[in-house]
Amino acid sequence: MRVDVAFTPAESAAAPTGIVIDVIRATSTICQALAAGYSRVFCTVEVEDARRLRGELKGVTLGGERLGVRIDGFDLGNSPDEYLEPRSPVLAMSTTNGTRAIVAAAERCERVLIGSLLNLDALVDATRSDGEDVVLVCAGVKGAFALDDAYVAGVIAERLGYERTDAAEAAVRLVSSYRSAEEAFRQSRSGRNLIANGPELEADIARCTRAGVLDAVPRFVGMHGVAAEIAA
Amino acid sequence: MRVDVAFTPAESAAAPTGIVIDVIRATSTICQALAAGYSRVFCTVEVEDARRLRGELKGVTLGGERLGVRIDGFDLGNSPDEYLEPRSPVLAMSTTNGTRAIVAAAERCERVLIGSLLNLDALVDATRSDGEDVVLVCAGVKGAFALDDAYVAGVIAERLGYERTDAAEAAVRLVSSYRSAEEAFRQSRSGRNLIANGPELEADIARCTRAGVLDAVPRFVGMHGVAAEIAA
């Protein structure tokens, strides 16, 4: 079995199983929301498309952020800590990088899982029992490499123990170069953005590093219009 | 001053100065050819376009390979060792990954330089005297991450000493994880392809690791039809 990494969604990489990583913070939050009891998460790139889902479906909570700040009129932001209890059956989230990565992965993989450190153990077990080659698709930031996502790709690649492509080998070596996930996340552009936005958001860095605390393995179910539908 | 890295040409990254890296072996060979005395190198993606240049221009040597083997009817392959003396004023090369990376860099950078370990010192000096932000564009292999190119990006990023993006930081850390360029190159997919093709090609791995032995700083001059024109 082989593990590959696409450090950005545009990178050419395909495998039967794709795992999307946007660890600070979209995929951490999706894992937390589904573990807490939301039955479905709909991810949209555009804010208006998330708002439209509230008109279309019953019992929809709106979550998401732009530049670290909760979106005007939305119920919740993008901190995993806001999703410890479900507020309705369905969550609609507007996230740019994460949603694009999910759609890109769905175009070239038979199945797409959602990865983070929070669900690390369950994710690795589910991937191993699928028994297929894997590509870890990092969401990155606006099409560019993100250190936090690459770090988590390295953690997953190492845990899988499969044969590694050049990219997977580089990701595993990146992990070895840090003392901890928190050190890597704090140095990343996404982590520095949280730190710059004050102690409340800074605390999310540590929240996203807790490995294996959730059992949820979110899977991409299909597109619902322009929204990517995710269920555990 | 800031240094960024695009691990594949598709990755979103822009800066006034772009440095293209296809270290095994296209950019190493281009540096060697211009240092040896070729006045121009024309790079084309398609074999036929290189052949056409021989009809169009006077004194053209044809160089390049497909899957490690010299192209039928071409004068030379893709080993730097074949370019120690010029055979004519002009060299036309067919290289897929390197040429695509040069064209991608030219679309978003004001100036494009050609990087390798062979011209490391001269390249770093020229880049510093330009005094602009830099993006190191790795050619990769068929749109995927290549360990050898990423390694050289890390070497250049470290030597420049500029502020680093997430990608540049990851590349520098990748360098630290190897004892030598040769160790990294031998582990890379491109290096393993050379090793699989026999001792003559395997010897090119060591040839491409010799840091700073050439003074040439090849620059992209412009497009000549579908060919990227390079001069030192």
Side-chain angles (χ1 to χ4, degrees):
Chain A
M1 232 71 69
R2 207 179 75 137
V3 56
D4 194 5
V5 176
F7 287 118
T8 64
E11 206 166 303
S12 154
T17 299
I19 298 177
V20 175
I21 302 162
D22 187 6
V23 67
I24 297 180
R25 298 173 290 171
T27 58
S28 298
T29 297
I30 291 168
C31 290
Q32 176 60 59
L34 288 165
Y38 285 95
S39 68
R40 289 283 185 281
V41 179
F42 292 92
C43 298
T44 72
V45 173
E46 302 299 334
V47 171
E48 280 314 310
D49 293 321
R51 285 208 182 94
R52 196 166 301 128
L53 282 167
R54 172 129 77 182
E56 238 177 273
L57 304 170
K58 283 184 185 168
V60 175
T61 297
L62 291 182
E65 47 126 18
R66 282 298 178 276
L67 304 170
V69 178
R70 185 196 301 183
I71 296 164
D72 197 39
F74 273 39
D75 306 301
L76 300 169
N78 193 23
S79 167
D81 218 38
E82 297 175 273
Y83 297 86
L84 301 177
E85 297 291 337
R87 296 164 58 112
S88 63
V90 174
L91 174 65
M93 292 194 70
S94 177
T95 82
T96 46
N97 301 310
T99 303
R100 286 206 178 103
I102 291 167
V103 173
E107 281 167 2
R108 53 196 190 213
C109 303
E110 291 163 28
R111 71 188 70 78
V112 176
L113 310 179
I114 304 300
S116 68
L117 290 180
L118 300 180
N119 70 338
L120 179 65
D121 301 333
L123 177 75
V124 167
D125 288 349
T127 305
R128 282 222 193 90
S129 66
D130 279 344
E132 300 273 13
D133 288 350
V134 176
V135 57
L136 306 170
V137 181
C138 298
V141 177
K142 296 177 188 168
F145 179 99
L147 203 48
D148 48 321
D149 295 341
Y151 181 95
V152 174
V155 171
I156 297 170
E158 187 160 38
R159 282 287 295 275
L160 284 172
Y162 294 175
E163 183 201 335
R164 295 172 196 157
T165 61
D166 278 16
E169 179 64 26
V172 169
R173 285 170 178 268
L174 182 68
V175 173
S176 308
S177 79
Y178 286 101
R179 278 167 301 184
S180 67
E182 187 156 351
E183 188 194 15
F185 287 9
R186 292 184 73 85
Q187 193 184 50
S188 73
R189 174 178 170 186
S190 299
R192 286 181 282 119
N193 279 348
L194 290 180
I195 294 166
N197 274 289
E200 185 51 43
L201 289 183
E202 182 176 345
D204 272 351
I205 295 177
R207 286 186 188 115
C208 293
T209 63
R210 293 169 301 141
V213 297
L214 300 177
D215 286 333
V217 182
R219 288 175 184 253
F220 170 70
V221 176
M223 295 304 291
H224 178 91
V226 296
E229 181 179 353
I230 314 289
Chain B
M1 233 68 70
R2 206 178 75 135
V3 56
D4 195 5
V5 176
F7 288 116
T8 64
E11 206 166 304
S12 153
T17 299
I19 298 176
V20 174
I21 302 163
D22 186 5
V23 68
I24 297 179
R25 297 173 289 172
T27 59
S28 299
T29 297
I30 291 168
C31 290
Q32 176 58 59
L34 289 165
Y38 286 95
S39 69
R40 290 281 185 281
V41 179
F42 293 91
C43 298
T44 72
V45 173
E46 303 297 335
V47 170
E48 280 316 308
D49 293 321
R51 283 208 184 94
R52 196 165 301 127
L53 282 167
R54 172 130 74 180
E56 237 178 275
L57 304 171
K58 282 185 186 168
V60 174
T61 297
L62 291 182
E65 46 127 20
R66 284 299 178 276
L67 305 170
V69 178
R70 184 196 300 182
I71 296 164
D72 196 39
F74 273 39
D75 307 301
L76 300 170
N78 193 23
S79 168
D81 218 38
E82 297 175 273
Y83 297 87
L84 301 178
E85 296 292 338
R87 296 165 58 113
S88 64
V90 173
L91 174 64
M93 291 194 72
S94 177
T95 83
T96 45
N97 301 309
T99 302
R100 287 207 177 101
I102 291 166
V103 172
E107 281 167 2
R108 54 197 191 213
C109 302
E110 290 162 30
R111 73 188 69 78
V112 176
L113 310 179
I114 305 299
S116 69
L117 290 179
L118 299 179
N119 70 339
L120 179 64
D121 301 334
L123 177 75
V124 167
D125 288 349
T127 305
R128 282 222 192 89
S129 65
D130 279 343
E132 300 273 12
D133 289 349
V134 175
V135 58
L136 307 170
V137 181
C138 298
V141 177
K142 296 179 187 167
F145 179 99
L147 204 47
D148 48 320
D149 296 340
Y151 181 95
V152 175
V155 171
I156 297 170
E158 186 159 40
R159 281 286 294 276
L160 284 172
Y162 295 176
E163 183 200 336
R164 295 173 195 155
T165 61
D166 276 16
E169 178 65 26
V172 169
R173 285 171 178 266
L174 182 67
V175 174
S176 309
S177 79
Y178 286 100
R179 278 166 302 183
S180 67
E182 187 156 352
E183 187 194 15
F185 288 9
R186 291 185 73 85
Q187 193 183 51
S188 74
R189 175 178 169 185
S190 300
R192 285 181 283 120
N193 279 346
L194 289 180
I195 293 166
N197 275 290
E200 186 49 45
L201 289 182
E202 182 175 346
D204 272 351
I205 295 177
R207 287 187 187 114
C208 293
T209 63
R210 292 168 300 141
V213 296
L214 300 178
D215 286 334
V217 182
R219 290 175 184 252
F220 170 71
V221 176
M223 295 304 291
H224 178 90
V226 296
E229 183 179 352
I230 314 289

